[in-house]
Amino acid sequence: MSISIPVIDLSPFRKGTSDHKKMVAEAVASAWEKIGFLVIEGHGIDPAEGSQLYNSAMSFFDLSLDEKLAVRRPRNDQNRGYIPYGEETLARMHGGNTPPDYKEVFAIGPDNVPSTEYYTGPLAYPDFASNLWPMEPVTLRSNMLTYYASMVDLSRLLARIYAVALDLPEDFFAAKLERHSSQLRLLHYPVPDEPFQPGQLRCGAHSDLGMTTILRNEEVSGGLEVLTPDGDWLVAPAIPNTFIVNLGDLMMRWSNDRWRSTQHRVAIPEINKWSQSRRLSFGFFVVPEYDAMVECVSNDGSPAKYPPITVRDYRTNRFAAGAGLQPTDKTLRSPTECFSNIAKISVRGSSY
C-alpha cells in the first residue's frame, strides 16, 4: 500500500463556516488514522519569525562548547537550557538501547509564569522550571519567545480542529491548554566529524509522549523519517512556509486509539553529503495542563480502552517506564518523588 504524508490547508478552518471547519477536521482526522503525520499550510504564522529564530539559533550553536555549557540544563528531568551531545537517547523511551542521538539541543518552556500555586506548587515541577538564557546571541531570547507565542496560538488552533473531528465542543481541547507546559526545542544536528557508532542515528526511533508536535523541518541529507504502517521509512517533506505536525501518544490515548502516534527518527546523512548535512529544526511539543483529565473519546460507539488519568500521572508513568521503573514501585509514591528518582538515574529520552 502506497502512503504519503498529506498537505492540509488550515485557512478554511481559520476563516470559514462550520462546513469548512468540518472539511478541514475530516482531512486531519484521516491523516491521523492513516499515518499520524501531516503537513500544514495556511497556518497564519509569519515565516519571518522562523527565519529570524533560525539565524539566532545557528549563532548560539556556533559558540564554543564552554560558552554553551554556561546554560546547561541543571537537572536531567528538566527540558531547559543547553543539552549537549551524549545526553539524549530517545530510543530508550521505547525499550531500545542505542548509542546517544547525534545532536545537541537548546530548550525552553513557558516563560514568566504567574506566581500562583498552580505554577509554583509541588505538582508544578518540572513543567514550570525556570528558563535559562545565554548572554549571546542577544537576539535569541526575543526571537525564541516570539516564535513560542505563535506556536501556542497554532497549538490551540489545532486543538480546536481535533475537537471538531471528534464531534466535541470546539473548545474541548483548547481549554486544556490555558495553563499548558509546552516545550520549544531547538534541535541542532552538526556535520559529523567522526564515523557513527553501530546503531546510532541523529535521533533514534521514537514516538512523542505529548498531545501533538509542531516541527519546522529542514531539507538536508539525514533528515526526518516516518515509519509507515507497512514498516517502511518515509522521508518527511520540507516545504517552505509549512510545518510538519504529528500526533503524540497522549492524544492517541485520548482518541481511544482511533488516531495513530507514529514512530519517527532522524536518519544518518549519506557519507558523500556529510559536509552539507548540518540541520536545524524547531520542535514545539504541546503539553496540556498537568491536572487535565484524559478520558477516552469514543464517537464510534467502541468501549474505552483505558481508564481516565491526569496528564501528569500519564507522563510520570511513561517517564518512569523509560527509566526502568514501574508505576507501582515504592519510588513512585508521589509525582515529585518519581521525578526525583528519574533524575538520579539520568533519563536520556526526554522529548516532551
Side-chain angles (χ1 to χ4, degrees):
M1 177 181 68
S2 177
I3 192 166
S4 60
I5 298 174
V7 179
I8 298 176
D9 183 1
L10 301 189
S11 55
F13 192 98
R14 293 171 51 230
K15 305 173 183 178
T17 64
S18 58
D19 288 342
H20 288 119
K21 290 183 176 183
K22 191 70 174 178
M23 176 188 68
V24 173
E26 289 174 352
V28 169
S30 177
W32 289 158
E33 291 169 7
K34 292 177 181 177
I35 192 169
F37 270 75
L38 53 85
V39 177
I40 57 170
E41 59 184 9
H43 43 71
I45 303 230
D46 185 351
E49 293 181 11
S51 299
Q52 291 163 0
L53 178 54
Y54 185 93
N55 293 333
S56 294
M58 279 296 201
S59 295
F60 172 76
F61 288 116
D62 282 339
L63 296 175
S64 69
L65 180 59
D66 286 344
E67 290 174 297
K68 290 181 285 191
L69 289 174
V71 287
R72 185 176 189 168
R73 67 173 170 183
R75 292 177 51 166
N76 278 8
D77 58 350
Q78 292 184 17
N79 245 321
R80 299 292 188 274
Y82 177 64
I83 304 169
Y85 167 71
E87 290 195 1
E88 286 199 345
T89 309
L90 293 192
R92 292 184 182 175
M93 293 303 293
H94 301 275
N97 186 20
T98 67
D101 298 340
Y102 202 91
K103 70 175 190 292
E104 56 182 346
V105 181
F106 184 79
I108 66 167
D111 199 63
N112 195 28
V113 298
S115 299
T116 58
E117 176 70 13
Y118 188 89
Y119 298 96
T120 62
L123 295 180
Y125 183 84
D127 287 353
F128 298 105
S130 298
N131 288 322
L132 303 176
W133 298 103
M135 297 293 292
E136 299 288 341
V138 295
T139 57
L140 181 63
R141 180 172 187 166
S142 61
N143 288 342
M144 207 167 181
L145 290 179
T146 296
Y147 186 90
Y148 184 99
S150 292
M151 290 296 104
V152 170
D153 290 343
L154 182 54
S155 69
R156 289 173 176 157
L157 171 61
L158 290 168
R160 299 203 311 270
I161 293 172
Y162 300 168
V164 172
L166 292 170
D167 296 324
L168 297 168
E170 190 172 315
D171 66 348
F172 180 86
F173 294 115
K176 296 169 176 57
L177 295 177
E178 287 299 315
R179 298 177 295 183
H180 67 90
S181 56
S182 301
Q183 314 285 333
L184 175 58
R185 288 162 54 87
L186 310 179
L187 305 157
H188 180 234
Y189 304 90
V191 172
D193 58 5
E194 60 185 13
F196 287 90
Q197 301 175 48
Q200 187 175 33
L201 294 169
R202 288 181 133 179
C203 182
H206 67 285
S207 60
D208 296 336
L209 301 188
M211 184 176 184
T212 198
T213 302
I214 307 168
L215 184 77
R216 185 184 188 273
N217 199 15
E218 184 174 22
E219 186 175 11
V220 296
S221 178
L224 177 66
E225 296 182 341
V226 176
L227 187 63
T228 71
D230 292 333
D232 301 318
W233 288 102
L234 175 67
V235 176
I239 304 170
N241 198 27
T242 67
F243 296 99
I244 296 276
V245 181
N246 65 278
L247 200 77
D249 296 348
L250 183 68
M251 196 66 213
M252 180 173 171
R253 177 176 176 139
W254 227 324
S255 72
N256 205 31
D257 288 353
R258 178 176 174 179
W259 293 351
R260 179 191 300 269
S261 177
T262 302
Q263 287 212 1
H264 47 285
R265 68 184 186 183
V266 180
I268 294 174
E270 300 172 47
I271 192 167
N272 62 331
K273 296 181 179 178
W274 275 16
S275 62
Q276 293 85 40
S277 66
R278 187 182 189 188
R279 179 175 183 265
L280 176 63
S281 61
F282 310 153
F284 187 77
F285 298 85
V286 181
V287 183
E289 298 176 349
Y290 59 73
D291 57 355
M293 188 63 66
V294 179
E295 299 181 81
C296 293
V297 175
S298 177
N299 60 353
D300 60 359
S302 58
K305 294 184 178 181
Y306 309 98
I309 190 171
T310 65
V311 169
R312 182 178 178 84
D313 285 347
Y314 174 79
R315 294 171 66 215
T316 297
N317 290 347
R318 288 295 305 275
F319 285 122
L325 301 173
Q326 295 297 322
T328 55
D329 286 348
K330 292 181 179 180
T331 51
L332 302 191
R333 288 190 298 270
S334 72
T336 301
E337 289 178 272
C338 174
F339 279 114
S340 176
N341 281 289
I342 290 172
K344 289 175 185 176
I345 57 179
S346 189
V347 174
R348 301 186 180 198
S350 176
S351 68
Y352 67 111

